[in-house]
Amino acid sequence: MLGSLVLTALLGAPAAVAAEPKNLQVMSWNMCGSQRSTWHCEGTGTPEQKIGVVTHHVRNSYVQAALLQEVCEDDLTLLMTQLGAGWSKSFEPYQWSQDGTRWNSRCGEDTGRADRIGTAILVKGGMADAGQYPLTQPYTGQQTPFQCATAVYWDVRLCNVHASRLGSNPDHPDWDYRDDQFAQIKAVVDTFPKVVFGGDFNALPPDAPNNAAAWVWPAGLYSTGPGTEGYQECDQSGASRTGRATHSFGGKIDYVFSSETRRWCAVADSAYSDHHVMIESVSVAA
């Protein structure tokens, strides 16, 4: 015993081994799942085909978390059944506000499907502290949630964005809510030590050519490269705050940002939505 103590004193205690980072693949996709004509999702496939896009990337792109926008609640239930045991979900509905009086948005027409439509966070494994954070919203018009949840295995906060589009308030179509919403989103995600947030921002990148609305992006949200303030975006290259198109009109309006080290980024077209799929792989620090 004495010999062991002397040897330890001479050689020193064993060096602590740093825990290895955990890789995480996060998918973001606006599914265009509404069956209501005013949402303009006709011709973008059946619910089963849209669900198949998600399960395909889970099985083939190793997706372990998904940020979904415009997903109908019954379709989400079917998706969870196909993903199987071990997956968790958090759903938040869209709401229509009429002079401040709100009700949940339906997946179908008034005489069609009555299940709600909203956004969802899916995680392989445990989920904790799921909930919605308030954003400035149109007093009259479509209100869209901003939700977050913790992926327990990675101990990382996941946040799902669907920002208001310009013209979302029919009484004041020139009012823009995105600048307030982006600043509020930044204030929330800045409080998390490790975070991945993404979704449909309904805004072109600040460095996109001829972008007259670049002012809606607050300072310190969209990084201008490694070592600079803000969050690196999945598809940006160096200091350029741009990326590949994510919508059928030819522009980028979908994003995935992270505080963690980017490993790779994929942008995949789909016949089953007007939005493309984005997947980012990050190395989550232990």
Coordinates of all heavy atoms in Angstrom, one line a residue, residues 32-127:
C32 N -45.0 21.5 -46.3 CA -46.1 22.0 -47.1 C -47.3 21.0 -47.0 O -47.8 20.5 -48.0 CB -45.7 22.2 -48.6 SG -46.8 23.4 -49.5
G33 N -47.6 20.6 -45.7 CA -48.6 19.6 -45.5 C -50.0 20.0 -45.5 O -50.9 19.1 -45.4
S34 N -50.3 21.3 -45.6 CA -51.7 21.7 -45.5 C -52.5 21.2 -46.7 O -52.1 21.2 -47.8 CB -51.7 23.3 -45.5 OG -53.1 23.7 -45.5
Q35 N -53.8 20.9 -46.4 CA -54.7 20.6 -47.5 C -55.8 21.7 -47.7 O -56.8 21.5 -48.2 CB -55.4 19.2 -47.1 CG -54.4 18.1 -47.1 CD -55.0 16.8 -46.8 OE1 -56.3 16.6 -46.7 NE2 -54.2 15.8 -46.5
R36 N -55.4 22.9 -47.2 CA -56.3 24.0 -47.3 C -55.8 24.8 -48.5 O -54.6 25.1 -48.6 CB -56.2 24.9 -46.0 CG -57.3 25.9 -45.8 CD -57.2 26.5 -44.5 NE -58.3 27.4 -44.2 CZ -59.5 27.1 -43.7 NH1 -59.7 25.8 -43.3 NH2 -60.4 27.9 -43.5
S37 N -56.7 25.2 -49.4 CA -56.2 25.7 -50.7 C -55.4 27.0 -50.6 O -54.5 27.3 -51.4 CB -57.5 26.0 -51.6 OG -58.4 26.9 -51.0
T38 N -55.7 27.8 -49.5 CA -55.0 29.1 -49.4 C -53.6 28.9 -49.0 O -52.8 29.9 -49.0 CB -55.7 29.9 -48.3 OG1 -55.9 29.2 -47.1 CG2 -57.1 30.4 -48.8
W39 N -53.2 27.7 -48.6 CA -51.8 27.4 -48.3 C -51.0 27.0 -49.5 O -49.7 26.9 -49.5 CB -51.7 26.4 -47.2 CG -52.1 26.8 -45.9 CD1 -53.4 27.3 -45.5 CD2 -51.4 26.9 -44.6 NE1 -53.4 27.6 -44.2 CE2 -52.2 27.4 -43.6 CE3 -50.1 26.5 -44.3 CZ2 -51.8 27.5 -42.3 CZ3 -49.7 26.7 -43.0 CH2 -50.5 27.2 -42.0
H40 N -51.6 26.8 -50.6 CA -51.0 26.5 -51.9 C -50.0 25.3 -51.9 O -48.9 25.4 -52.4 CB -50.2 27.8 -52.4 CG -51.1 29.0 -52.5 ND1 -52.2 29.1 -53.3 CD2 -51.1 30.1 -51.7 CE1 -52.8 30.3 -53.1 NE2 -52.1 30.9 -52.2
C41 N -50.4 24.2 -51.3 CA -49.6 23.0 -51.3 C -50.2 21.9 -52.2 O -49.7 20.8 -52.2 CB -49.6 22.5 -49.8 SG -48.7 23.5 -48.7
E42 N -51.1 22.3 -53.0 CA -51.6 21.3 -54.0 C -50.5 20.8 -54.9 O -49.7 21.6 -55.3 CB -52.8 21.9 -54.8 CG -52.5 23.1 -55.6 CD -52.6 24.4 -54.8 OE1 -52.9 24.3 -53.6 OE2 -52.3 25.4 -55.4
G43 N -50.6 19.6 -55.3 CA -49.6 19.1 -56.2 C -48.2 18.7 -55.6 O -47.3 18.5 -56.3
T44 N -48.2 18.7 -54.3 CA -46.9 18.4 -53.6 C -46.9 17.1 -52.9 O -46.0 16.8 -52.1 CB -46.5 19.5 -52.6 OG1 -47.5 19.6 -51.6 CG2 -46.4 20.9 -53.3
G45 N -47.8 16.2 -53.3 CA -47.7 14.8 -52.8 C -48.7 14.6 -51.7 O -49.3 15.4 -51.1
T46 N -48.8 13.3 -51.4 CA -49.7 12.8 -50.4 C -49.0 12.9 -49.0 O -47.8 13.0 -48.9 CB -50.2 11.4 -50.7 OG1 -49.0 10.5 -50.5 CG2 -50.7 11.2 -52.1
P47 N -49.8 12.8 -47.9 CA -49.2 12.7 -46.6 C -48.2 11.6 -46.5 O -47.1 11.7 -45.9 CB -50.4 12.6 -45.7 CG -51.5 13.3 -46.4 CD -51.3 13.0 -47.8
E48 N -48.5 10.4 -47.1 CA -47.7 9.3 -47.0 C -46.4 9.5 -47.7 O -45.3 9.1 -47.3 CB -48.4 8.0 -47.6 CG -49.5 7.5 -46.8 CD -50.8 8.4 -46.9 OE1 -50.9 9.2 -47.9 OE2 -51.7 8.3 -46.1
Q49 N -46.4 10.2 -48.9 CA -45.2 10.5 -49.6 C -44.3 11.5 -48.8 O -43.1 11.4 -48.8 CB -45.5 11.1 -51.0 CG -46.1 10.1 -51.9 CD -46.7 10.7 -53.2 OE1 -47.3 11.7 -53.2 NE2 -46.5 10.0 -54.3
K50 N -44.9 12.5 -48.2 CA -44.2 13.4 -47.4 C -43.5 12.7 -46.2 O -42.3 13.0 -45.8 CB -45.1 14.6 -46.9 CG -45.6 15.4 -48.0 CD -46.7 16.4 -47.5 CE -47.3 17.2 -48.7 NZ -46.5 18.1 -49.3
I51 N -44.3 11.9 -45.5 CA -43.7 11.1 -44.4 C -42.5 10.3 -44.9 O -41.5 10.1 -44.2 CB -44.8 10.2 -43.8 CG1 -45.8 11.1 -43.0 CG2 -44.2 9.1 -42.9 CD1 -47.1 10.4 -42.6
G52 N -42.7 9.7 -46.1 CA -41.6 8.9 -46.7 C -40.3 9.7 -46.8 O -39.2 9.1 -46.7
V53 N -40.4 11.0 -47.1 CA -39.2 11.8 -47.2 C -38.4 11.8 -45.9 O -37.2 11.7 -45.8 CB -39.5 13.2 -47.7 CG1 -38.3 14.1 -47.6 CG2 -40.1 13.2 -49.1
V54 N -39.2 12.0 -44.8 CA -38.6 12.1 -43.5 C -37.9 10.7 -43.1 O -36.8 10.6 -42.7 CB -39.6 12.5 -42.4 CG1 -38.9 12.6 -41.0 CG2 -40.2 13.9 -42.7
T55 N -38.7 9.6 -43.3 CA -38.2 8.3 -42.9 C -37.0 7.9 -43.8 O -36.0 7.3 -43.3 CB -39.3 7.3 -43.0 OG1 -39.8 7.2 -44.3 CG2 -40.4 7.5 -42.0
H56 N -37.0 8.4 -45.0 CA -35.8 8.1 -45.9 C -34.6 8.7 -45.3 O -33.5 8.0 -45.3 CB -36.1 8.7 -47.3 CG -34.9 8.7 -48.2 ND1 -34.5 7.6 -48.9 CD2 -34.0 9.7 -48.5 CE1 -33.4 7.9 -49.6 NE2 -33.1 9.1 -49.3
H57 N -34.6 10.0 -44.9 CA -33.4 10.6 -44.4 C -33.0 10.1 -43.0 O -31.9 10.1 -42.7 CB -33.6 12.1 -44.4 CG -33.6 12.7 -45.8 ND1 -32.5 12.7 -46.6 CD2 -34.6 13.3 -46.5 CE1 -32.7 13.3 -47.7 NE2 -34.0 13.7 -47.7
V58 N -34.0 9.6 -42.3 CA -33.7 9.0 -41.0 C -32.8 7.7 -41.2 O -31.8 7.5 -40.6 CB -34.9 8.7 -40.2 CG1 -34.6 7.8 -39.0 CG2 -35.6 10.0 -39.7
R59 N -33.3 7.0 -42.2 CA -32.6 5.7 -42.5 C -31.3 5.8 -43.3 O -30.4 5.0 -43.2 CB -33.6 4.8 -43.2 CG -34.8 4.3 -42.3 CD -35.9 3.7 -43.1 NE -37.0 3.4 -42.2 CZ -38.3 3.3 -42.6 NH1 -38.6 3.4 -43.9 NH2 -39.3 3.0 -41.7
N60 N -31.3 6.8 -44.2 CA -30.2 6.9 -45.2 C -29.2 8.1 -44.9 O -28.1 8.0 -45.4 CB -30.7 7.0 -46.6 CG -31.5 5.7 -47.0 OD1 -30.9 4.7 -47.3 ND2 -32.8 5.8 -47.0
S61 N -29.7 9.1 -44.3 CA -28.9 10.3 -44.0 C -28.5 10.3 -42.5 O -27.9 11.3 -42.0 CB -29.5 11.6 -44.4 OG -29.9 11.5 -45.8
Y62 N -29.0 9.3 -41.7 CA -28.7 9.2 -40.3 C -29.2 10.4 -39.5 O -28.6 10.8 -38.5 CB -27.2 9.0 -40.1 CG -26.6 7.8 -40.9 CD1 -25.9 8.1 -42.1 CD2 -26.9 6.5 -40.6 CE1 -25.4 7.0 -42.9 CE2 -26.4 5.5 -41.4 CZ -25.7 5.7 -42.5 OH -25.2 4.7 -43.3
V63 N -30.4 10.9 -39.9 CA -31.0 12.0 -39.2 C -31.4 11.5 -37.8 O -32.1 10.4 -37.7 CB -32.2 12.5 -40.0 CG1 -33.1 13.4 -39.1 CG2 -31.7 13.4 -41.2
Q64 N -31.1 12.2 -36.8 CA -31.4 11.9 -35.4 C -32.4 12.9 -34.8 O -32.8 12.7 -33.6 CB -30.2 11.8 -34.6 CG -29.3 10.6 -35.0 CD -27.8 10.9 -34.9 OE1 -27.3 12.0 -35.2 NE2 -27.1 10.0 -34.3
A65 N -32.6 14.0 -35.5 CA -33.5 15.1 -35.0 C -34.1 15.8 -36.2 O -33.4 15.9 -37.2 CB -32.8 16.0 -34.0
A66 N -35.3 16.2 -36.1 CA -36.0 16.9 -37.2 C -36.8 18.1 -36.7 O -37.4 18.0 -35.7 CB -36.9 15.9 -38.0
L67 N -36.6 19.2 -37.5 CA -37.4 20.4 -37.3 C -38.4 20.5 -38.4 O -37.9 20.8 -39.6 CB -36.5 21.6 -37.2 CG -35.2 21.5 -36.3 CD1 -34.3 22.7 -36.5 CD2 -35.6 21.3 -34.8
L68 N -39.6 20.3 -38.2 CA -40.6 20.3 -39.3 C -41.6 21.5 -39.2 O -42.0 21.8 -38.1 CB -41.4 19.0 -39.2 CG -40.6 17.7 -39.3 CD1 -41.6 16.5 -39.1 CD2 -39.8 17.6 -40.6
Q69 N -41.9 22.0 -40.3 CA -42.9 23.1 -40.4 C -44.0 22.6 -41.3 O -43.8 21.8 -42.2 CB -42.2 24.4 -41.0 CG -41.0 24.9 -40.2 CD -39.7 24.3 -40.7 OE1 -39.5 24.3 -41.9 NE2 -38.9 23.8 -39.8
E70 N -45.2 23.2 -41.1 CA -46.4 22.9 -41.9 C -46.6 21.4 -41.9 O -46.8 20.8 -43.0 CB -46.3 23.5 -43.3 CG -46.2 25.0 -43.3 CD -46.3 25.6 -44.7 OE1 -46.8 25.0 -45.6 OE2 -45.9 26.8 -44.8
V71 N -46.7 20.8 -40.7 CA -47.0 19.4 -40.6 C -48.4 19.2 -39.9 O -48.6 19.9 -38.9 CB -45.9 18.6 -39.8 CG1 -45.7 19.2 -38.4 CG2 -46.3 17.2 -39.7
C72 N -49.2 18.4 -40.5 CA -50.5 18.2 -39.9 C -50.4 17.2 -38.8 O -49.6 16.2 -38.9 CB -51.5 17.6 -41.0 SG -51.9 18.9 -42.3
E73 N -51.2 17.4 -37.7 CA -51.0 16.6 -36.5 C -51.3 15.1 -36.7 O -50.6 14.3 -36.2 CB -51.9 17.1 -35.4 CG -51.5 16.7 -34.0 CD -52.2 17.5 -33.0 OE1 -53.2 18.2 -33.3 OE2 -51.8 17.4 -31.8
D74 N -52.3 14.7 -37.5 CA -52.6 13.3 -37.8 C -51.4 12.7 -38.6 O -51.1 11.5 -38.4 CB -53.9 13.1 -38.5 CG -55.1 13.4 -37.6 OD1 -54.9 13.6 -36.4 OD2 -56.2 13.4 -38.1
D75 N -50.8 13.5 -39.5 CA -49.7 13.0 -40.3 C -48.5 12.8 -39.4 O -47.7 11.8 -39.6 CB -49.4 13.9 -41.4 CG -50.6 14.1 -42.4 OD1 -51.4 13.2 -42.4 OD2 -50.6 15.1 -43.1
L76 N -48.3 13.7 -38.4 CA -47.2 13.5 -37.5 C -47.4 12.3 -36.6 O -46.4 11.5 -36.4 CB -47.2 14.8 -36.5 CG -46.1 14.8 -35.5 CD1 -44.7 14.7 -36.1 CD2 -46.2 16.0 -34.6
T77 N -48.6 12.0 -36.3 CA -48.9 10.7 -35.5 C -48.5 9.5 -36.3 O -47.9 8.6 -35.8 CB -50.4 10.6 -35.1 OG1 -50.7 11.8 -34.3 CG2 -50.7 9.3 -34.4
L78 N -48.8 9.5 -37.6 CA -48.5 8.4 -38.5 C -47.0 8.3 -38.7 O -46.4 7.2 -38.6 CB -49.1 8.6 -39.9 CG -48.8 7.5 -40.9 CD1 -49.2 6.1 -40.4 CD2 -49.5 7.9 -42.2
L79 N -46.3 9.5 -38.8 CA -44.8 9.5 -38.9 C -44.2 8.9 -37.7 O -43.2 8.1 -37.8 CB -44.4 10.9 -39.1 CG -42.8 11.2 -39.1 CD1 -42.1 10.3 -40.1 CD2 -42.5 12.7 -39.2
M80 N -44.7 9.2 -36.5 CA -44.1 8.7 -35.3 C -44.2 7.2 -35.2 O -43.3 6.5 -34.7 CB -44.7 9.4 -34.1 CG -44.5 10.9 -33.9 SD -42.7 11.3 -33.9 CE -42.2 10.6 -32.3
T81 N -45.4 6.7 -35.7 CA -45.6 5.2 -35.7 C -44.5 4.6 -36.6 O -44.0 3.5 -36.3 CB -47.0 4.9 -36.2 OG1 -47.9 5.5 -35.4 CG2 -47.2 3.4 -36.3
Q82 N -44.2 5.2 -37.8 CA -43.3 4.6 -38.7 C -41.8 4.7 -38.2 O -41.0 3.9 -38.4 CB -43.4 5.3 -40.1 CG -44.7 5.0 -40.7 CD -44.7 5.3 -42.2 OE1 -43.7 5.5 -42.8 NE2 -45.9 5.3 -42.8
L83 N -41.5 5.8 -37.4 CA -40.2 5.9 -36.8 C -40.0 4.9 -35.7 O -38.8 4.4 -35.5 CB -40.0 7.3 -36.3 CG -39.9 8.5 -37.3 CD1 -39.8 9.8 -36.6 CD2 -38.7 8.2 -38.3
G84 N -41.0 4.5 -35.0 CA -40.9 3.5 -34.1 C -40.6 4.0 -32.7 O -40.4 5.2 -32.4
A85 N -40.4 3.0 -31.8 CA -40.1 3.3 -30.4 C -38.8 4.0 -30.3 O -37.9 3.8 -31.0 CB -40.2 2.1 -29.5
G86 N -38.7 4.9 -29.3 CA -37.4 5.5 -29.0 C -37.4 7.0 -29.6 O -36.4 7.7 -29.4
W87 N -38.4 7.4 -30.3 CA -38.5 8.8 -30.8 C -39.4 9.6 -30.0 O -40.4 9.1 -29.5 CB -38.9 8.8 -32.3 CG -37.8 8.4 -33.2 CD1 -37.3 7.2 -33.5 CD2 -37.0 9.4 -34.0 NE1 -36.3 7.3 -34.4 CE2 -36.1 8.6 -34.8 CE3 -37.0 10.8 -34.1 CZ2 -35.2 9.2 -35.6 CZ3 -36.1 11.4 -35.0 CH2 -35.2 10.6 -35.7
S88 N -39.1 10.9 -29.8 CA -39.9 11.8 -29.0 C -40.4 12.9 -29.9 O -39.7 13.2 -30.9 CB -39.2 12.3 -27.8 OG -38.7 11.3 -27.0
K89 N -41.5 13.6 -29.6 CA -42.0 14.7 -30.4 C -42.5 15.8 -29.5 O -42.9 15.6 -28.4 CB -43.1 14.2 -31.3 CG -44.4 13.9 -30.6 CD -45.5 13.6 -31.6 CE -46.8 13.2 -30.8 NZ -48.0 13.0 -31.7
S90 N -42.5 17.0 -30.1 CA -43.2 18.2 -29.5 C -43.9 18.9 -30.7 O -43.2 19.2 -31.7 CB -42.2 19.1 -28.8 OG -42.8 20.3 -28.4
F91 N -45.2 19.2 -30.5 CA -46.0 19.8 -31.6 C -46.5 21.1 -31.1 O -47.0 21.2 -29.9 CB -47.1 18.9 -32.0 CG -48.0 19.5 -33.0 CD1 -47.8 19.4 -34.4 CD2 -49.2 20.0 -32.6 CE1 -48.6 20.0 -35.3 CE2 -50.1 20.6 -33.5 CZ -49.8 20.5 -34.9
E92 N -46.5 22.2 -31.9 CA -47.1 23.4 -31.6 C -47.9 23.9 -32.8 O -47.4 23.9 -33.9 CB -46.0 24.5 -31.3 CG -45.2 24.3 -30.0 CD -46.0 24.5 -28.7 OE1 -47.2 25.0 -28.8 OE2 -45.5 24.1 -27.6
P93 N -49.2 24.2 -32.6 CA -50.1 24.6 -33.7 C -49.9 26.0 -34.2 O -49.5 26.9 -33.4 CB -51.5 24.4 -33.1 CG -51.3 24.7 -31.7 CD -50.0 24.2 -31.3
Y94 N -50.1 26.2 -35.5 CA -50.3 27.6 -36.0 C -51.7 28.1 -35.5 O -52.6 27.3 -35.2 CB -50.3 27.6 -37.5 CG -49.0 27.1 -38.2 CD1 -49.0 26.0 -39.0 CD2 -47.9 27.8 -38.0 CE1 -47.8 25.6 -39.5 CE2 -46.7 27.4 -38.6 CZ -46.7 26.3 -39.4 OH -45.5 25.9 -39.9
Q95 N -51.8 29.4 -35.4 CA -53.1 30.0 -35.0 C -53.4 31.1 -35.9 O -52.5 31.9 -36.4 CB -53.1 30.4 -33.6 CG -53.0 29.3 -32.6 CD -53.1 29.7 -31.1 OE1 -52.5 30.7 -30.7 NE2 -53.9 29.0 -30.3
W96 N -54.7 31.3 -36.2 CA -55.1 32.5 -36.9 C -55.7 33.5 -35.9 O -56.4 33.1 -35.0 CB -56.2 32.2 -37.9 CG -56.7 33.4 -38.6 CD1 -57.7 34.2 -38.3 CD2 -56.1 33.9 -39.8 NE1 -57.8 35.3 -39.2 CE2 -56.8 35.1 -40.1 CE3 -55.0 33.6 -40.6 CZ2 -56.5 35.9 -41.2 CZ3 -54.7 34.3 -41.7 CH2 -55.5 35.5 -42.0
S97 N -55.2 34.7 -36.0 CA -55.7 35.8 -35.1 C -56.6 36.8 -35.8 O -56.2 37.2 -36.9 CB -54.5 36.5 -34.5 OG -54.9 37.6 -33.7
Q98 N -57.7 37.1 -35.3 CA -58.6 38.0 -35.9 C -58.8 39.1 -34.8 O -59.5 38.9 -33.8 CB -60.0 37.4 -36.2 CG -60.9 38.3 -37.1 CD -60.3 38.6 -38.4 OE1 -59.8 37.7 -39.1 NE2 -60.3 39.9 -38.9
D99 N -58.1 40.2 -35.0 CA -58.2 41.3 -34.0 C -57.9 40.8 -32.6 O -58.5 41.2 -31.6 CB -59.5 42.0 -34.0 CG -59.8 42.7 -35.4 OD1 -58.9 43.2 -36.0 OD2 -61.0 42.6 -35.8
G100 N -56.9 39.9 -32.5 CA -56.4 39.4 -31.2 C -57.1 38.2 -30.7 O -56.7 37.6 -29.8
T101 N -58.2 37.8 -31.3 CA -58.9 36.5 -31.0 C -58.3 35.4 -31.8 O -58.4 35.5 -33.1 CB -60.4 36.6 -31.2 OG1 -61.0 37.7 -30.4 CG2 -61.1 35.3 -30.9
R102 N -57.8 34.4 -31.2 CA -57.1 33.4 -31.9 C -57.8 32.0 -31.8 O -58.5 31.7 -30.9 CB -55.7 33.2 -31.3 CG -54.8 34.5 -31.4 CD -53.5 34.3 -30.7 NE -53.6 34.0 -29.3 CZ -52.6 33.6 -28.5 NH1 -51.4 33.5 -29.0 NH2 -52.8 33.3 -27.3
W103 N -57.6 31.2 -32.9 CA -58.0 29.8 -32.9 C -57.0 29.0 -33.7 O -56.3 29.6 -34.5 CB -59.4 29.7 -33.4 CG -59.6 30.2 -34.8 CD1 -59.4 29.5 -36.0 CD2 -60.1 31.5 -35.2 NE1 -59.8 30.3 -37.1 CE2 -60.2 31.6 -36.6 CE3 -60.5 32.6 -34.4 CZ2 -60.6 32.7 -37.3 CZ3 -60.9 33.8 -35.1 CH2 -61.0 33.8 -36.5
N104 N -56.9 27.7 -33.4 CA -56.0 26.9 -34.0 C -56.3 26.7 -35.5 O -57.4 26.6 -35.9 CB -56.0 25.5 -33.4 CG -55.4 25.5 -32.0 OD1 -54.6 26.4 -31.6 ND2 -55.9 24.6 -31.1
S105 N -55.2 26.7 -36.3 CA -55.4 26.5 -37.8 C -55.6 25.0 -38.1 O -55.0 24.1 -37.5 CB -54.1 27.0 -38.5 OG -53.9 28.4 -38.3
R106 N -56.5 24.8 -39.0 CA -56.9 23.4 -39.4 C -56.0 22.9 -40.6 O -55.5 23.7 -41.4 CB -58.3 23.3 -39.9 CG -59.4 23.6 -38.8 CD -60.7 23.9 -39.5 NE -61.2 22.7 -40.3 CZ -62.2 22.0 -39.9 NH1 -62.9 22.2 -38.8 NH2 -62.6 21.0 -40.7
C107 N -55.8 21.6 -40.6 CA -55.1 21.0 -41.8 C -55.9 21.2 -43.1 O -55.3 21.4 -44.1 CB -54.8 19.6 -41.5 SG -53.9 18.7 -42.8
G108 N -57.2 21.0 -43.0 CA -58.0 21.0 -44.2 C -58.9 22.2 -44.2 O -58.9 23.2 -43.4
E109 N -59.8 22.2 -45.2 CA -60.8 23.3 -45.3 C -61.8 23.2 -44.2 O -61.8 22.2 -43.4 CB -61.6 23.1 -46.7 CG -60.7 23.0 -47.9 CD -60.1 24.4 -48.2 OE1 -60.4 25.4 -47.6 OE2 -59.2 24.4 -49.2
D110 N -62.7 24.2 -44.1 CA -63.7 24.2 -43.0 C -64.5 22.9 -42.9 O -65.0 22.5 -41.9 CB -64.5 25.4 -43.1 CG -63.7 26.7 -42.8 OD1 -62.6 26.6 -42.2 OD2 -64.2 27.8 -43.1
T111 N -64.7 22.3 -44.1 CA -65.5 21.1 -44.2 C -64.6 19.9 -44.4 O -65.1 18.8 -44.6 CB -66.5 21.2 -45.3 OG1 -65.8 21.4 -46.5 CG2 -67.5 22.3 -45.0
G112 N -63.3 20.1 -44.2 CA -62.4 18.9 -44.5 C -61.7 18.5 -43.2 O -62.4 18.5 -42.1
R113 N -60.5 18.1 -43.3 CA -59.8 17.6 -42.1 C -59.7 18.7 -41.0 O -59.3 19.8 -41.2 CB -58.3 17.2 -42.5 CG -58.3 15.9 -43.2 CD -56.8 15.5 -43.6 NE -55.9 15.6 -42.5 CZ -54.6 15.1 -42.6 NH1 -54.2 14.6 -43.7 NH2 -53.8 15.1 -41.5
A114 N -60.0 18.2 -39.8 CA -60.1 19.1 -38.7 C -58.9 19.1 -37.8 O -58.8 19.9 -36.8 CB -61.3 18.9 -37.8
D115 N -57.9 18.2 -38.1 CA -56.7 18.1 -37.2 C -55.9 19.4 -37.4 O -55.9 20.0 -38.5 CB -55.9 16.9 -37.5 CG -55.5 16.7 -38.9 OD1 -56.3 16.9 -39.8 OD2 -54.3 16.4 -39.2
R116 N -55.1 19.7 -36.4 CA -54.4 21.0 -36.4 C -53.1 20.9 -37.3 O -52.6 19.8 -37.6 CB -53.9 21.4 -35.0 CG -55.1 21.5 -34.0 CD -54.6 21.9 -32.6 NE -53.8 20.8 -32.1 CZ -53.1 20.8 -30.9 NH1 -53.2 22.0 -30.2 NH2 -52.4 19.8 -30.5
I117 N -52.6 22.0 -37.8 CA -51.4 22.1 -38.5 C -50.4 23.0 -37.7 O -50.9 23.9 -37.0 CB -51.6 22.6 -39.9 CG1 -50.3 22.5 -40.7 CG2 -52.1 24.1 -39.9 CD1 -50.4 22.8 -42.2
G118 N -49.2 22.6 -37.7 CA -48.2 23.3 -36.9 C -46.8 23.0 -37.2 O -46.5 22.5 -38.3
T119 N -45.9 23.2 -36.2 CA -44.5 22.8 -36.3 C -44.2 21.7 -35.3 O -44.9 21.6 -34.3 CB -43.6 24.0 -36.1 OG1 -43.8 24.5 -34.7 CG2 -43.9 25.2 -37.0
A120 N -43.2 21.0 -35.6 CA -42.8 19.9 -34.7 C -41.3 19.7 -34.6 O -40.6 20.0 -35.5 CB -43.5 18.6 -35.2
I121 N -40.9 19.3 -33.4 CA -39.5 18.9 -33.2 C -39.5 17.4 -32.8 O -40.3 16.9 -32.0 CB -38.9 19.6 -32.0 CG1 -38.8 21.2 -32.3 CG2 -37.5 19.1 -31.7 CD1 -38.3 22.0 -31.1
L122 N -38.7 16.6 -33.6 CA -38.6 15.2 -33.3 C -37.2 14.9 -32.9 O -36.2 15.4 -33.5 CB -38.9 14.4 -34.6 CG -40.2 14.7 -35.4 CD1 -40.4 13.8 -36.5 CD2 -41.4 14.7 -34.5
V123 N -37.0 14.0 -32.0 CA -35.7 13.6 -31.5 C -35.7 12.1 -31.3 O -36.6 11.5 -30.7 CB -35.4 14.3 -30.1 CG1 -34.0 13.8 -29.6 CG2 -35.3 15.8 -30.3
K124 N -34.6 11.5 -31.7 CA -34.3 10.1 -31.4 C -33.8 10.0 -30.0 O -32.7 10.5 -29.7 CB -33.3 9.5 -32.4 CG -33.2 8.0 -32.3 CD -32.3 7.4 -33.4 CE -32.2 5.9 -33.3 NZ -31.3 5.3 -34.3
G125 N -34.6 9.4 -29.1 CA -34.2 9.4 -27.7 C -35.0 10.3 -26.9 O -36.1 10.8 -27.3
G126 N -34.6 10.6 -25.7 CA -35.3 11.5 -24.8 C -35.4 12.9 -25.2 O -34.5 13.5 -25.8
M127 N -36.5 13.6 -24.8 CA -36.7 15.0 -25.0 C -37.1 15.6 -23.6 O -37.8 15.0 -22.9 CB -37.8 15.2 -26.0 CG -38.1 16.7 -26.3 SD -39.6 16.9 -27.4 CE -38.8 16.4 -29.0

